[in-house]
C-alpha cells in the first residue's frame, strides 16, 4: 500500500515531467529576476521547514552552540544536516529563469506539496523565506518566493535537502569532537587495552596548541606511525549513525566487541561501546551518558579493533630524493647502475649505451626514499627467508658517502593469494614483508620487468 506522502510524491513526479515539456506562454523568462540574499550561517538562530499544511519542524540554536529540535518533538538536532543546509544558502542565489506565473501545483510549489524554508537571525521576520518544489536536470529546482505566484528555476541544493521526515532532523552524531583536541585514546580490545597519548608541547604562531608525537602508554619506546594514529583518532572522533534505536536494542553489549575512550585536553571524555552484533543497518554502539543505541558503519568498529601492528611505524627507509647519488641493482643478471645528473636528470651508468626512462627512475627513487613494510615475518630464519643468499640487492649511495641496502629473498603468498617478498634493510635482524607490486615498481626504474 502506498502512503499518502508517497502518492503525493508520485503525482508530483508525473506533473513535473509534463512541466518540463509545457510552454511558458507569454512569460518573459529574463525579466526582473530576483536574487535570494545570502544569510550568514553563523547568525542563524532559528530554522523552520514546513511541508504542506501540517508537517513542520522548528530548530533553535546556532552552529557554535549546537541545535535542538523544538517542534514537533524535543531532541538534539542533526548538526551536520543543518550545517550543509546553511552552507547552501550562505551565498546569494540568482534565479536562473522565470518559468511561469501561477500553476503552482504543476511545479510542486503549491501549499500541499511545496517545502517552505525559512531562516531567522533575530526578530520574528525571516532573513530568508523560499518555497522549494520539484527538481530538474542539471541541479536545478523549481522555486518561488513566499506569497508570490511567480515560478523560477534556481540551484538551491535540491528538494531532498529540505523535504525530510521530521524525525530525520534528530541528531544522528553518536560522537562529534575535534580530533585536534584529543589528548588520549584508549582502544579496549579483547586482547587487552591499547592506550595512546600525547601532550601539548607549546603553541604555534597563531596561539594554537602544538602537540608532541603520539606514544604508546604500555611502551613509550615503540615507534608509532604518527599518521596512522592521527587518522585513527580522526575516524573515531566523528561517528555518524545511520539510525537511532531504542536503548533496549540487542546490539551484543553483554559481550561487547570493543570500547573506545577519547579524552580531550580539557579533561572531559567520550566513551563508546561497540556491540558484538551486526545487522543490515551496520554495527551497534552506545555512548556514555546517552539512553540510545546507534547503528553505525562497520568500519568504525573495525577502527576500534585495529591491532597495534597496523599502527607501528612501518617505514624501512627515509631519505630525500635529492640526497641520492646512485642506485645499483644486482639480481643475477647484468648489474644496473643509475646515476643522478641533476634534480630531475638521471642516466644509466651501467651497462653502457642504455637509454633511461627518467620518469620510471624517479618513481623508483621516490618509493625507496619512503619504503614501507607490509608486515613482519616472525619465526622465520634468514635462510628460510632466502636472505642468506638474496635473489636481489639494491644499493642506494648517497651524496654524503653513506648508503642503504635492500635485500630481497623468497616470495610467500598470504591466505588471500597476495604475494609478498621477504626483505631485509641495512643488514638488520628483522625480516619484513613487502608486496610484489611495490618491488615491481622499483625494478621498473632499472629497466627490469616483474
Amino acid at each position: 500500500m502506498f502512503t499518502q506522502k508517497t502518492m503525493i510524491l508520485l503525482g508530483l513526479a508525473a506533473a513535473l515531467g509534463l512541466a518540463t515539456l509545457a510552454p511558458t506562454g507569454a512569460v518573459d523568462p529574463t525579466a526582473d529576476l530576483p536574487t535570494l540574499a545570502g544569510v550568514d550561517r553563523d547568525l542563524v538562530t532559528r530554522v523552520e521547514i514546513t511541508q504542506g499544511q501540517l508537517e513542520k519542524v522548528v530548530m533553535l540554536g546556532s552552529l557554535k552552540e549546537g541545535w535542538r529540535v523544538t517542534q514537533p518533538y524535543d531532541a538534539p538536532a542533526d548538526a551536520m544536516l543543518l550545517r550543509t543546509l546553511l552552507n547552501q544558502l550562505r551565498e546569494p542565489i540568482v534565479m536562473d529563469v522565470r518559468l511561469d506565473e501561477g500553476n503552482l501545483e504543476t511545479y510542486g510549489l503549491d501549499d500541499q506539496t511545496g517545502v517552505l524554508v525559512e531562516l531567522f537571525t533575530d526578530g520574528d521576520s525571516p532573513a530568508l523565506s523560499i518555497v522549494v518544489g520539484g527538481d530538474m536536470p542539471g541541479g536545478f529546482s523549481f522555486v518561488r518566493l513566499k506569497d508570490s505566484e511567480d515560478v523560477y528555476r534556481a540551484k538551491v541544493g535540491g528538494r531532498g535537502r529540505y523535504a525530510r521526515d521530521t524525525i530525520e532532523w534528530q541528531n544522528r552524531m553518536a560522537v562529534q569532537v575535534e580530533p585536534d583536541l584529543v589528548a588520549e585514546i584508549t582502544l579496549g580490545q579483547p586482547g587487552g587495552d591499547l592506550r595512546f597519548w600525547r601532550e601539548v608541547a607549546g603553541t604555534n604562531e597563531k596561539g594554537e596548541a602544538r602537540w608532541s608525537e603520539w606514544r604508546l602508554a604500555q611502551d613509550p619506546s615503540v615507534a608509532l606511525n604518527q599518521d596512522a594514529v592521527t587518522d585513527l583518532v580522526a575516524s573515531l572522533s566523528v561517528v555518524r549513525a545511520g539510525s537511532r534505536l531504542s536503548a533496549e536494542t540487542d546490539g551484543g553489549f553483554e559481550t561487547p566487541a570493543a570500547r573506545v575512550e577519547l579524552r580531550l585536553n580539557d579533561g572531559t571524555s567520550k566513551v563508546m561501546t561497540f556491540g558484538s552484533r551486526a545487522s543490515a543497518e551496520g554495527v551497534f554502539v552506545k555512548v556514555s551518558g546517552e539512553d540510545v543505541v546507534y547503528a553505525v558503519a562497520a568500519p568504525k568498529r573495525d577502527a576500534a579493533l585495529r591491532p597495534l601492528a597496523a599502527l607501528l611505524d612501518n617505514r624501512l627507509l627515509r631519505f630525500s630524493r635529492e640526497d641520492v647519488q646512485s642506485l645499483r641493482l644486482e639480481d643475477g643478471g647484468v648489474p644496473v647502475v643509475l646515476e643522478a645528473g641533476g634534480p630531475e636528470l638521471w642516466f644509466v651508468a651501467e651497462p653502457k649505451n642504455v637509454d633511461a626512462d627518467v620518469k620510471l627512475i624517479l618513481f623508483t627513487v621516490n618509493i625507496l626514499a619512503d619504503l614501507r613494510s607490509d608486515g613482519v615475518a616472525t619465526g622465520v630464519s634468514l635462510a628460510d627467508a632466502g636472505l642468506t643468499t638474496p635473489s636481489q640487492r639494491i644499493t642506494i649511495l648517497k651524496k654524503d658517502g653513506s648508503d642503504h641496502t635492500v635485500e630481497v629473498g623468497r616470495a610467500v603468498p598470504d591466505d588471500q593469494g597476495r604475494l609478498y617478498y621477504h626483505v631485509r634493510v641495512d643488514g638488520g635482524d628483522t625480516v619484513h614483508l613487502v608486496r610484489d607490486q611495490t618491488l615491481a615498481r622499483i625494478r621498473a626504474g632499472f629497466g627490469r620487468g616483474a
Side-chain angles (χ1 to χ4, degrees), residues 126-177:
L128 179 143
S129 183
I130 184 175
V131 180
V132 182
D135 293 333
M136 298 180 68
F140 291 97
S141 302
F142 298 118
V143 299
R144 69 177 174 90
L145 303 181
K146 187 181 180 182
D147 301 325
S148 171
E149 294 282 305
D150 292 331
V151 177
Y152 299 95
R153 184 178 72 184
K155 289 188 175 182
V156 292
R159 179 185 175 92
R161 190 181 300 273
Y162 313 99
R164 299 178 180 274
D165 289 336
T166 55
I167 197 64
E168 290 186 50
W169 293 103
Q170 190 171 349
N171 177 48
R172 285 188 288 160
M173 298 303 297
V175 171
Q176 187 175 22
V177 300

Side-chain angles (χ1 to χ4, degrees), residues 20-323:
T20 59
L21 302 176
T24 59
V27 173
D28 183 349
T30 61
D32 301 324
L33 294 177
T35 298
L36 288 177
V39 182
D40 187 338
R41 64 179 190 174
D42 294 321
L43 300 180
V44 177
T45 58
R46 180 184 181 95
V47 177
E48 294 186 6
I49 300 176
T50 307
Q51 299 186 62
Q53 295 292 315
L54 301 175
E55 194 170 333
K56 181 176 182 177
V57 61
V58 177
M59 291 164 283
L60 302 179
S62 67
L63 287 178
K64 183 177 180 180
E65 301 297 332
W67 294 91
R68 193 167 191 88
V69 180
T70 60
Q71 182 182 334
Y73 53 84
D74 182 59
D78 193 312
M80 183 175 291
L81 287 182
L82 281 165
R83 180 180 293 274
T84 302
L85 183 153
L86 295 178
N87 283 344
Q88 180 65 40
L89 301 174
R90 67 191 298 190
E91 300 292 340
I93 298 175
V94 181
M95 300 301 181
D96 180 66
V97 67
R98 183 169 179 257
L99 296 170
D100 206 346
E101 182 178 357
N103 303 313
L104 301 182
E105 185 176 354
T106 302
Y107 303 95
L109 291 170
D110 61 305
D111 291 340
Q112 298 300 319
T113 54
V115 183
L116 174 61
V117 181
E118 295 185 301
L119 307 183
F120 298 78
T121 54
D122 52 17
D124 296 328
S125 298
L128 179 143
S129 183
I130 184 175
V131 180
V132 182
D135 293 333
M136 298 180 68
F140 291 97
S141 302
F142 298 118
V143 299
R144 69 177 174 90
L145 303 181
K146 187 181 180 182
D147 301 325
S148 171
E149 294 282 305
D150 292 331
V151 177
Y152 299 95
R153 184 178 72 184
K155 289 188 175 182
V156 292
R159 179 185 175 92
R161 190 181 300 273
Y162 313 99
R164 299 178 180 274
D165 289 336
T166 55
I167 197 64
E168 290 186 50
W169 293 103
Q170 190 171 349
N171 177 48
R172 285 188 288 160
M173 298 303 297
V175 171
Q176 187 175 22
V177 300
E178 286 292 335
D180 288 343
L181 301 181
V182 178
E184 183 178 305
I185 181 171
T186 301
L187 306 179
Q189 302 176 344
D193 289 356
L194 293 176
R195 183 162 67 89
F196 305 92
W197 63 274
R198 61 181 178 176
E199 58 189 356
V200 176
T203 57
N204 59 22
E205 60 278 4
K206 297 181 180 179
E208 300 168 331
R210 180 169 54 81
W211 291 96
S212 68
E213 290 192 334
W214 289 102
R215 297 183 178 89
L216 178 66
Q218 290 88 337
D219 186 355
S221 66
V222 169
L224 297 173
N225 183 332
Q226 296 296 316
D227 291 339
V229 179
T230 299
D231 290 345
L232 173 72
V233 171
S235 174
L236 293 172
S237 294
V238 180
V239 180
R240 181 176 174 81
S243 59
R244 293 166 56 100
L245 306 169
S246 164
E248 286 72 40
T249 299
D250 180 11
F253 296 108
E254 291 185 0
T255 54
R259 178 179 176 275
V260 176
E261 181 176 1
L262 299 168
R263 187 176 64 80
L264 310 186
N265 62 348
D266 64 0
T268 62
S269 63
K270 284 279 188 181
V271 178
M272 290 177 283
T273 301
F274 288 88
S276 54
R277 289 190 63 247
S279 73
E281 295 180 274
V283 299
F284 303 100
V285 64
K286 286 184 175 180
V287 179
S288 57
E290 296 189 29
D291 191 25
V292 65
V293 170
Y294 295 98
V296 304
K300 294 297 183 180
R301 189 173 70 182
D302 295 341
L305 291 168
R306 194 158 298 166
L308 177 60
L311 300 170
L312 297 177
D313 188 351
N314 61 347
R315 286 170 294 197
L316 300 179
L317 292 174
R318 178 194 276 178
F319 54 83
S320 172
R321 187 174 76 190
E322 288 72 24
D323 294 339

